[in-house]
Amino acid sequence: MSGKALKLGMAGGGEGAFIGAIHRKAAALDGDWQLVAGAFSSDAARNERSGVSLGLDPQRVHGDLNALIAAERALPEGERIDALAIVTPNHLHAPMAIAALEAGINVFCEKPMAMSSDEARAIAAAARKSGAKFALAFTYSGYPLVEEARTRVARGDLGKIRLVQVEYLQGWLSSPIDGQGNKQAEWRTDPAKAGLGGCLGDIGTHAFHLAEHVSGVRVSEVSADLTAHVAGRRLDDDVSALLRFDGGARGTLKASQVAAGEENGLKLRVSGELGTLEWAQMEPNTLTLRWLDRPAEVVRAGGPGLAGSTQAMLRTPSGHPEGYIEAFANLYQGFAAAIRGQDERFVPGLTDGLRTMNFIEAVIANASSDRKWTPVEAGE
């Protein structure tokens, strides 16, 4: 923490929501943020109960985002929220982000950025015009050994990148729980709330972002297949894609939410001329490097030889596991530093959001056509 805690407001994430609680825990971990206001639910009773359970002043718990923004702007400048966390279903990301940015409020938004690349560009335009900062919750970039992997690739340890393989496997949608009252499943499989992609937008975007973030090369074209294995499901629950990267690298992306028995199997492998690195989210404190000309190397969180940017993301000595909440907290810590004008660490933002929206649209266009390859627009 550096100085007085910044004030955080939240849109969505009320009683019974999963990701809102994760955001609150992550934001609070290092003392950089204090939740002071929110519009947690369109259900008045649930919204009120959420505010009470979080110990907030009832005067700063509002029925909708417009009321929250109006009330915050009426406060003296030093008492207003410094940022808004948007943790709603996808269809609300763009209107909420644009409203907050136009009011000069910094935004930390859940992914994917929006429902379309047009909405994403509108968010970017609002951010540029207002000067407010915008961050996205691509959580896995906050893991220390993901930063270590990115750093080693960027300094040329692997040589020129040739292969990038990423998979993200879950099994929680293997049965039709979206039609059986499971709220988290319902909105993620509803095109009106989730957008054009189901599994593609929910976890495929995480896999895509991780692949580009660590490898340092951009996907230029995709050849893809989308499937809904569960009868009656309106959006994909399974994604396969071949990837072509700038510079000649090739890759694969597999994302599925019907891989029965899988928990949260996000794995990345990047190969260059000289070696290969591997990282897995369910064993996040280990980075394995295999070399062409010497024995394999196992790098551990908190161990020797880590880059300075990796060490800055660690909180405990080696052998003390750090995981998902800590990775999320690293993004909130970096966002706080950016708002304060301090030295900035990487925080996913507008470019990452635009890239992932362009990827979603390219995959959908390719999967629904007879074209072998579809270009992924560069974004901004």
Side-chain angles (χ1 to χ4, degrees), residues 59 96 130 160 192 210-211 218 272 314 376:
Q59 298 301 312
M96 286 186 167
S130 70
K160 183 180 179 181
L210 185 68
R218 285 189 165 191
L314 290 162
V376 179

Side-chain angles (χ1 to χ4, degrees), residues 85-111:
I86 299 174
V87 294
T88 64
N90 304 345
H91 69 295
L92 296 174
H93 290 180
M96 286 186 167
I98 291 169
L101 291 166
E102 288 180 343
I105 299 171
N106 301 301
V107 170
F108 192 112
C109 187
E110 257 305 316
K111 41 60 41 200

Side-chain angles (χ1 to χ4, degrees), residues 59-325:
Q59 298 301 312
R60 298 187 81 169
V61 178
H62 304 280
D64 59 48
L65 181 63
N66 290 334
L68 186 154
I69 291 174
E72 291 299 315
R73 295 184 75 175
L75 293 172
E77 187 171 347
E79 297 179 21
R80 301 171 191 166
I81 59 172
D82 296 289
L84 177 75
I86 299 174
V87 294
T88 64
N90 304 345
H91 69 295
L92 296 174
H93 290 180
M96 286 186 167
I98 291 169
L101 291 166
E102 288 180 343
I105 299 171
N106 301 301
V107 170
F108 192 112
C109 187
E110 257 305 316
K111 41 60 41 200
M113 186 175 180
M115 297 281 276
S116 68
S117 59
D118 286 343
E119 284 192 350
R121 285 189 288 269
I123 293 172
R128 286 195 299 268
K129 185 175 181 180
S130 70
K133 297 187 180 299
F134 179 86
L136 271 170
F138 281 114
T139 317
Y140 304 105
S141 62
Y143 276 100
L145 287 187
V146 167
E147 171 61 19
E148 184 68 18
R150 186 203 64 77
T151 299
R152 291 186 180 223
V153 171
R155 74 188 185 196
D157 289 16
L158 302 184
K160 183 180 179 181
I161 301 305
R162 290 173 168 170
L163 304 173
V164 182
Q165 299 162 281
V166 63
E167 68 174 32
Y168 198 160
L169 303 181
Q170 298 176 340
W172 72 290
L173 288 178
S174 291
S175 58
I177 59 173
D178 40 330
Q180 299 170 354
N182 185 304
K183 298 298 184 183
Q184 296 297 318
E186 281 180 2
W187 78 257
R188 283 176 170 82
T189 57
D190 179 356
K193 293 183 178 179
L196 299 174
C199 173
L200 174 62
D202 194 25
I203 64 174
T205 51
H206 274 303
F208 170 76
H209 181 262
L210 185 68
E212 287 202 337
H213 177 62
V214 173
S215 72
V217 288
R218 285 189 165 191
V219 174
S220 58
E221 294 179 291
V222 296
S223 182
D225 177 70
L226 294 178
T227 306
H229 285 281
V230 174
R233 186 162 285 163
R234 291 176 288 172
L235 290 174
D236 61 275
D237 51 29
D238 188 74
V239 183
S240 301
L242 297 176
L243 311 174
R244 286 178 172 173
F245 291 82
D246 293 340
R250 296 294 188 264
T252 59
L253 182 149
K254 179 65 186 178
S256 183
Q257 292 176 312
V258 294
E262 290 284 353
E263 297 176 20
N264 203 58
L266 175 59
K267 299 178 181 179
L268 175 70
R269 183 184 293 114
V270 179
S271 299
E273 297 169 309
L274 306 176
T276 294
L277 64 79
E278 296 179 8
W279 180 84
Q281 194 272 158
M282 291 178 64
E283 185 62 42
N285 295 311
T286 298
L287 176 65
T288 302
L289 300 115
R290 294 184 172 86
W291 303 107
L292 190 64
D293 60 352
R294 59 188 187 274
E297 180 181 354
V298 176
V299 179
R300 293 283 291 166
L306 298 177
S309 59
T310 303
Q311 295 179 38
M313 300 170 82
L314 290 162
R315 295 171 179 78
T316 59
S318 59
H320 295 76
E322 298 190 43
Y324 183 65
I325 299 294

